Each structure stands twice: as C-alpha cells, then as structure tokens.
Amino acid sequence: MEDRYPAEGFEAYLNALESATPTMRAIGITDYCVTASYERVKAAKDAGRLKQCDLLFPNVELRLEIGTVKGHFVNIHLLVSPEDPGHVEELNRFLRHLKFSTADDEYSCTPDDLMKLGKRMDRSITDNAAALRAGVTQFKVSRSGLQAAFRSMEWARDNIIVAVSGNADGTSGVREAADRAVRQEIEKFAQVIFASSPKQRDFWLGLGPAATPQEIQDDYGALKPCLWGCDAHEMSLVGKPAEDRLCWIKGKATFDGLRQACIDPDRACVGPNPPAWSSESQTISHIEILDAPWARTPAIGLNPGLVTIIGARGSGKTALADMIAAGCDAYVEDEERPSFLERAGEHLKNAKVSVHWLSGE
C-alpha cells in the first residue's frame, strides 16, 4: 500500500531487477489485493526483459481481519503458480470470492469494488487510482472466508501457496496479543512462513528447543519453510533485503521447486550466501566426454544437489550415470544387466571421461 517509487520509474525498476546481485532466478511481484503490477512486469518479460529470471509469479498480499497489539493487521500472501496460461484470469476469479462487509454493503476483492470501497470511506476522493489505494487499505478478509474460498475452488488449491508473515505485521503480533488459538490456526493454514531469522527457521523445522518436529506437525499440520524477500517499498531497496538476508531454495527455479520446499522445508534457507549442501571436494561440477565426436554435448554441468537423473526413455539417463561412474573409477560390470558402456563398447573406442569437482580438482 505504501511505496516511494517515482511515478515514471517502471524502466528503472526493471533495470534494478536485472542488475541485482546475486542474480534473481525467481521473482515474486507483490500486489495488494490486485494483479496489476504483476501483469505489467509479466508483459515486460514476455517482451524480452528479465531474461535471467526463470520464474516470475504473482504474490498477492491481503490483510486478515485479525489485529495485532501494535495496531497492524495480519498480512497473508498468495503465491501463485504461473504455469497455467490462464493463471491471471483464474487468480482474479478466486479473488472475487473474497468479501469485505460494511454495515450496509459488501465488497469483493476486485479493482472496481475496491475503488467503490475507497470512495465510500472517503467521499472527497474522485480519482480512481486514489480510490483504489484507499479501498485496498480498508479491505480485509476473514480467515474463515479465505479458507471457504479455497474449499470452493479446486484451481486455487492446486495453484496457490499460502504464506503468512511471522513478524510484527503477522502472527508474531498475534502471539504478543496472547491469542494462541487464533495464531495457531493461521499458521496451520499457511504452507510458508515469511521470516528471516535463524531462530524462526529452526522452530519451523523442529530444530529449536521449543518443539520437536513431531510436535510442530501435530500443532501446525506440517513443518514449514521460512522464505524472505526484499519487500522493497522504494527503488534503492529492490533486490537488497535488509542485512543481506537473501532467500535460497535448493532446486530448479520453478514453481514446482517452491512446492517441493513446502514438502521438504529444509531446502529453503535465508542468508547472505547459499548454504554448502555438501563438501566441494565431494561435489561434481561437470564432466567432459573426450575423444567422442558422437557426443552432442561433451561438457555436461551437474547441479550441486543432484541426486537422481530423470528423462524420457532413450534420452541417455543410463549413459550419463555410467560415464559419471567410469570417471570416478566406480564403474562395475554386470553380466546380467549390461550397462550402456558394455552395449556401446564397440562404438566408444578411445573415448574418455574427465570429472571436474567444485573444489577445482
């Protein structure tokens, strides 16, 4: 709701996203109650901008009708998969299910209704943009209403991840208000906690002194990943979260990677650098197939966290695994199940495999 971006600063905003260090592979565009900012950035990406970004997705921020002791309302976020070509239309259809009632009227979470709400609350407003801002400030959704909207729409359940702030503008503020039951129900409904402190992460992984993993699952339904972003309300902060608290997720920069972090929350980490998932001297960076003119991609890079090779039948999964094994002097012949190297032996001739490790060896 509050931002200090210049009125004509969209180009500068895109430049800031593109020049951020380290490169942002996944970017969530935050809008309060609407999708306008996301649609604008998506159009720019479709036109060729943000080439380094593999995942651009909407992050719709809402406020619950639940106050905190500091006078805020609990912020809740809808992280939306962009995989469906019609995701913007479906998201807006979902938002229309969300209602805010006054003494004599009811408003949906749509731009038109939000503008009407803004003008009703401040009759001096005539400008639609100002009315939208005022309406967004007033619009709050009930927890039961949000949950009912999810129950009524299969698309939302399949394509939206719910995140809640764990800070003063979220459930931490409710905790201070000593309303434990309400706080617990909100956190149980959420799949992600927006928090950046190691203490919070340890709690939601069941690693802290307050609760075991089983107790977290019993009380909150599941262990939860802690994610974070820059939450920039001005240009100078784009891509620059406070205290270098960058968000890292082990996996490919896809929405499925985000879903996987909800299943295995230890994959998410907040800090200035990505965690060392394994020793560099024990992690392969890439392999090279030498003296093999038949190899279309003789140099093959491997992700540091690679644990399995998947692909269509005949795509070369076994061949790659065999070559890695051969390069590591771990290849073992099996007469009952001949490997790729055995079956293709007559064609390999003098081909060799060179393995390169992250340590530089």
Side-chain angles (χ1 to χ4, degrees), residues 12 14 18 20 23 45 51 70 76 83 86-87 93 111 142 193 209 211 228 256 280-281 311 314 333 338 341 352:
L14 292 177
E18 291 172 331
T23 299
K45 181 169 174 56
K51 289 184 173 65
K70 295 186 178 179
I76 200 158
E83 295 165 347
H87 65 281
R93 187 165 71 89
S142 68
I193 305 297
W228 196 243
D256 270 345
E280 291 189 350
S281 63
E333 293 185 4
L341 295 182
K352 297 182 287 292

Side-chain angles (χ1 to χ4, degrees), residues 48-98:
R49 299 298 298 268
L50 302 177
K51 289 184 173 65
Q52 83 289 357
C53 174
D54 299 318
L55 173 65
L56 183 75
F57 63 93
N59 170 20
V60 177
E61 185 167 354
L62 303 167
R63 294 192 302 167
L64 295 179
E65 288 182 334
I66 299 170
T68 69
V69 294
K70 295 186 178 179
H72 303 291
F73 289 86
V74 174
N75 287 349
I76 200 158
H77 297 252
L78 309 180
L79 312 183
V80 184
S81 169
E83 295 165 347
D84 180 354
H87 65 281
V88 173
E89 292 78 9
E90 289 297 304
L91 172 56
N92 279 294
R93 187 165 71 89
F94 173 76
L95 293 174
R96 284 197 293 272
H97 286 278
L98 306 181

